[in-house]
Amino acid sequence: MTAKPTIPRPKVLYVLGAPFSGSTLFAAALGTSRGYLNLGEVNFIENDWYDEKKCSCGHTIVDCVIWGKVKRTLGADANTWDFSFSDGTRSRKLDGRSASAHQKAFYFVGLPLDFTFGRKVVQDYACFYERFYEALYNAFDQNVLVDCSKSSPRLEALNTHDAADLFVVYLKRRPEMVFASRIKRAKRRNRAYISAMSFFYGFWLLYHLRFARRCLSHLDERNVIEVDYEEFCQDPLAVTKRLGKWLGRPIDIAVLEPDLLDLSGSHVFTGNAWLTKGKSEVVKLRRPEDNTGLTGIEKQAERFAVGLCRIFGVRW
């Protein structure tokens, strides 16, 4: 009997990390390399999957040389893909933003995702994105797909239900820097913000780092690599060379100077706003600096956040 030919499966490089870990820039850099397609934060895609949405290249996604091809590959079904579960809830629910308080609590204490959201729901989610990855894989002739979603629940769902050949980069950043970035965002967007509120973000930091470490513990160690964001900023070529060797596929990111990335060839339409606006063709990598923008109370909250993670045994 003749054996059936093995059908290649999509190779997905999943970037896991806390919010404000530098993942957007890191994934954008990977997307400038031949053979790597940066999908952006795919867990936001249900809000952005429409023809008029702007890509970072400046065109609408239907006219983009990358995403227009995806739309044509998907054919008539391209605009009718349903980003929802079998029970009608939107897929973003699993990502945590619209999950109920008890679901977040269940996941935080370590209960399986299938128990927290329901096996059928999680399975449908994984199956949908399996088809989505396959469509992209077929359209671009076996590129490595870079999924910059960062979400731990999403990764757990994809891994549990075997949605693709997953390779995971855990992007680490000093917790003090992550915390400070979150505080700066709160100051910009929340007019009611006061320094005393910064202690809340200590629990926010614990929440995300605990999720990430828990998710990593369920993965095959051979398919996981840890990358330090500060190290990437200092020597992006050395870090990506190590990453390419681990993946078995060279990475040649577009570097103009040791600290300048050329993102002019980027094609991302979902996720971080500064990238999707298409205005950042050349980006300077910032060297890690000590925080000088925090108030005294916020610095105390920063120490509280780091200490809280240590109490719970969460490393970064």
Side-chain angles (χ1 to χ4, degrees):
M1 180 180 294
T2 303
K4 293 183 179 180
T6 302
I7 300 175
R9 302 186 69 211
K11 178 179 283 190
V12 176
L13 183 62
Y14 192 97
V15 180
L16 175 68
F20 305 98
S21 60
S23 58
T24 299
L25 184 56
F26 178 74
L30 295 181
T32 65
S33 176
R34 289 170 294 179
Y36 289 79
L37 178 63
N38 177 27
L39 309 180
E41 296 180 57
V42 186
N43 53 336
F44 284 98
I45 201 170
E46 69 179 65
N47 301 321
D48 299 327
W49 189 248
Y50 57 94
D51 288 352
E52 296 77 20
K53 176 68 177 179
K54 281 275 188 163
C55 175
S56 59
C57 67
H59 297 286
T60 60
I61 62 173
V62 74
D63 293 323
C64 170
V65 295
I66 297 295
W67 293 104
K69 183 177 179 180
V70 172
K71 290 267 188 176
R72 291 190 294 274
T73 299
L74 296 177
D77 295 332
N79 292 321
T80 59
W81 278 37
D82 183 14
F83 291 86
S84 62
F85 297 143
S86 58
D87 65 354
T89 57
R90 303 297 289 173
S91 64
R92 286 286 289 149
K93 186 177 183 67
L94 185 141
D95 183 48
R97 294 200 172 200
S98 58
S100 65
H102 79 270
Q103 286 172 327
K104 291 181 180 180
F106 286 169
Y107 192 68
F108 183 79
V109 299
L111 294 177
L113 203 65
D114 284 357
F115 175 86
T116 302
F117 292 96
R119 180 175 177 81
K120 176 62 175 171
V121 163
V122 180
Q123 191 171 36
D124 283 356
Y125 178 92
C127 287
F128 173 83
Y129 282 103
E130 180 178 17
R131 292 190 296 117
F132 189 70
Y133 287 147
E134 286 176 349
L136 295 173
Y137 190 74
N138 292 333
F140 295 101
D141 192 24
Q142 302 184 20
N143 274 34
V144 175
L145 307 177
V146 181
D147 185 336
C148 184
S149 296
K150 299 191 296 290
S151 165
S152 302
R154 172 179 171 80
L155 176 56
E156 184 172 332
L158 298 175
N159 181 63
T160 301
H161 295 283
D162 196 27
D165 285 341
L166 287 169
F167 295 83
V168 179
V169 174
Y170 179 47
L171 190 63
K172 301 184 297 182
R173 190 179 186 188
R174 285 167 47 198
E176 298 89 346
M177 301 303 293
V178 173
F179 179 83
S181 295
R182 184 64 186 91
I183 295 299
K184 291 175 184 176
R185 168 73 67 85
K187 289 179 177 178
R188 288 198 306 268
R189 296 195 174 185
N190 185 358
R191 293 182 179 180
Y193 174 83
I194 58 175
S195 294
M197 295 170 61
S198 59
F199 284 90
F200 163 79
Y201 294 107
F203 294 98
W204 171 89
L205 182 65
L206 172 66
Y207 182 83
H208 286 286
L209 292 180
R210 183 179 173 90
F211 276 3
R213 283 297 175 184
R214 172 200 152 171
C215 189
L216 288 173
S217 69
H218 296 160
L219 301 173
D220 186 334
E221 292 182 356
R222 295 170 297 180
N223 292 342
V224 177
I225 190 171
E226 296 191 3
V227 171
D228 188 293
Y229 179 70
E230 280 82 10
E231 182 184 348
F232 170 73
C233 288
Q234 292 173 347
D235 194 344
L237 291 178
V239 170
T240 52
K241 180 179 179 180
R242 176 168 66 92
L243 183 59
K245 184 176 181 180
W246 171 70
L247 278 171
R249 183 158 191 167
I251 299 175
D252 53 342
I253 62 174
V255 177
L256 300 177
E257 294 180 18
D259 60 350
L260 287 181
L261 297 178
D262 180 8
L263 303 183
S264 59
S266 178
H267 295 276
V268 179
F269 71 92
T270 185
N272 199 305
W274 73 264
L275 188 61
T276 58
K277 287 179 180 178
K279 297 180 180 179
S280 303
E281 292 188 351
V282 177
V283 176
K284 184 178 179 64
L285 292 171
R286 297 178 182 177
R287 296 293 188 266
E289 299 176 352
D290 291 333
N291 270 310
T292 56
L294 299 181
T295 66
I297 293 177
E298 288 165 350
K299 288 179 180 179
Q300 290 179 21
E302 176 192 277
R303 290 191 287 271
F304 167 76
V306 174
L308 195 62
C309 291
R310 286 176 177 152
I311 289 172
F312 279 85
V314 177
R315 62 188 182 90
W316 39 85

